[in-house]
Amino acid sequence: MSADLVLDGLDKRFPGSPTPALQTFSLTVAAGSCTAVLGPSGSGKSTLLRVIAGLEEPDAGTVRIGGTDVAGVAAEHRGIGMVFQRSLLFPHLTVLDNVAFSDRVSGMNRRAARSRAAEYLEMVQLQGFGDRRVGELSGGQEQRVAIARALAAEPAVLLLDEPFSALDPALRSDMHDLLEAVRREVSPTIVLVTHDRDEAARASDRIALLERGVLLHEGTVLDAYRRPQNLRAAQLMGGRNEVTGEVRDGHHHSALGAVPVPPETPTGVGTLVIRQEDVAVLDDDERAAPSGAIPGVVESVRVTGARSEIAVRCGDVLLHAEAPPTQRCPLGGRLLLMLPTAAVHVVA
């Protein structure tokens, strides 16, 4: 059912737009894997999906599905399934007949099409819902039906265009679990467009960061968070610590002093980035301070659920960290911060 997807040098510009929607965009999605395309509004995410699906023609570049260049192939013949933010189900059909639609269009008899549709409804945990009308479903149930309908067409590639963004947090979590179960059962090749970092991390194997039509970063979920390819990628993934300096002799030298860096870090001018959740927060006891501890003064505290986000002034540098609620971080109080070497990353 799944096939690899290879995008090579895609360009797309719309008339009247000052900037391209896509600029020499290249990406490979391995068969059976899921890549989340993450970026702010207007970054080109939906345009990318439309180009893959054949709903837009690129100005340059190629789209290959299973090794075949699909230039000139009509959208309905590309082997693409697509699920949008709105389910776009047929209100005049039952749930079962919505899912059976692609088989009926291809000429399968009604009994066989409905039998297959029932299997896909079971896959999305809606067995017994086949006789209902679309208007009787909740938003989450509608999206489950939309996914079942897309899968019933046995697409080579499944495109998901922010399909869960209109759902409340609990339902979104349920849909992420459902997507994981579907992947275990049928292993579709998936491109998921989202603007939600947590969703991208939860639902995908790899993350591609897109801004103004340019691919900023592509790699594993862990790489996106802790080894971004550039400073803007770090910012898009929610990183808040940026310290300019220079790498030499295995250390990043800056206003913080000499901070050890991983041995593979190249020498030269670079910006040290480290996730705020990776910064260790210690009580200010200089007598027991470990080597490399950085003293600072708490400038702000914001409680977010079970943790506190704190900003600590360390000389000329403001560092952000997270602390458990059991740790006292009074405004104006002194703390020690540790930057674990394994969590430090330097971008050019």
Side-chain angles (χ1 to χ4, degrees), residues 13-335:
R13 183 188 290 270
F14 293 102
S17 175
T19 59
L22 295 173
Q23 302 183 57
T24 59
F25 184 95
S26 297
L27 177 70
T28 296
V29 183
S33 70
C34 177
T35 291
V37 179
L38 179 67
S41 298
S43 61
K45 304 187 301 296
S46 292
T47 297
L48 176 66
L49 289 197
R50 291 178 63 82
V51 168
I52 296 170
L55 302 176
E56 297 283 355
E57 284 295 322
D59 299 325
T62 59
V63 176
R64 291 185 177 87
I65 299 174
T68 300
D69 187 343
V70 294
V73 177
E76 61 269 24
H77 299 307
R78 289 196 175 193
I80 296 288
M82 198 160 182
V83 179
F84 299 90
Q85 181 175 341
R86 294 178 58 237
S87 64
L88 302 181
L89 299 175
F90 302 119
H92 62 288
L93 297 179
T94 65
V95 166
L96 191 66
D97 286 332
N98 264 280
V99 179
F101 181 78
S102 61
D103 282 338
R104 293 289 290 141
V105 168
S106 67
M108 186 179 294
N109 68 63
R110 177 172 291 181
R111 180 186 296 272
R114 284 182 166 179
S115 177
R116 272 178 36 85
E119 294 175 8
Y120 283 99
L121 282 177
E122 184 174 355
M123 186 183 300
V124 298
Q125 301 166 15
L126 285 180
Q127 55 268 44
F129 281 70
D131 292 333
R132 298 194 187 187
R133 295 285 177 174
V134 172
E136 300 176 286
L137 302 178
S138 68
Q141 289 167 343
E142 283 192 28
Q143 288 302 73
R144 287 172 184 259
V145 175
I147 291 173
R149 183 176 65 178
L151 291 173
E154 297 187 341
V157 176
L158 178 63
L159 306 179
L160 304 178
D161 192 0
E162 302 200 47
F164 314 134
S165 60
L167 305 179
D168 64 48
L171 278 177
R172 291 180 76 175
S173 180
D174 289 344
M175 294 303 291
H176 298 157
D177 291 341
L178 171 69
L179 188 58
E180 185 176 318
V182 166
R183 292 188 61 199
R184 285 196 302 267
E185 189 157 347
V186 293
S187 296
T189 302
I190 299 175
V191 179
L192 167 67
V193 154
T194 181
H195 61 269
D196 187 320
R197 292 188 297 268
D198 292 338
E199 179 167 272
R202 171 71 175 82
S204 67
D205 305 306
R206 301 178 72 84
I207 292 177
L209 295 174
L210 182 63
E211 186 174 54
R212 298 180 182 178
V214 176
L215 181 65
L216 298 178
H217 170 103
E218 192 278 332
T220 66
V221 174
L222 182 63
D223 285 343
Y225 275 102
R226 290 186 164 80
R227 289 183 289 274
Q229 293 170 8
N230 48 66
L231 183 57
R232 184 58 183 145
Q235 293 168 342
L236 286 175
M237 292 306 298
R240 303 188 66 192
N241 291 315
E242 307 167 8
V243 184
T244 57
E246 181 181 5
V247 177
R248 61 179 187 273
D249 303 323
H251 292 74
H252 182 267
H253 298 265
S254 69
L256 288 179
V259 176
V261 294
E264 67 274 13
T265 306
T267 59
V269 174
T271 300
L272 181 152
V273 294
I274 182 171
R275 299 286 307 179
Q276 50 272 20
E277 59 265 29
D278 290 333
V279 176
V281 181
L282 310 175
D283 293 330
D284 182 28
D285 184 354
E286 295 189 359
R287 294 170 300 175
S291 174
I294 302 170
V297 177
V298 178
E299 281 200 358
S300 68
V301 179
R302 185 177 69 169
V303 178
T304 56
R307 299 187 68 80
S308 298
E309 296 180 359
I310 61 173
V312 181
R313 175 64 60 182
C314 304
D316 293 333
V317 178
L318 186 67
L319 289 178
H320 297 269
E322 292 186 1
T326 54
Q327 186 157 11
R328 293 186 67 255
C329 302
L331 288 176
R334 296 186 61 82
L335 292 173

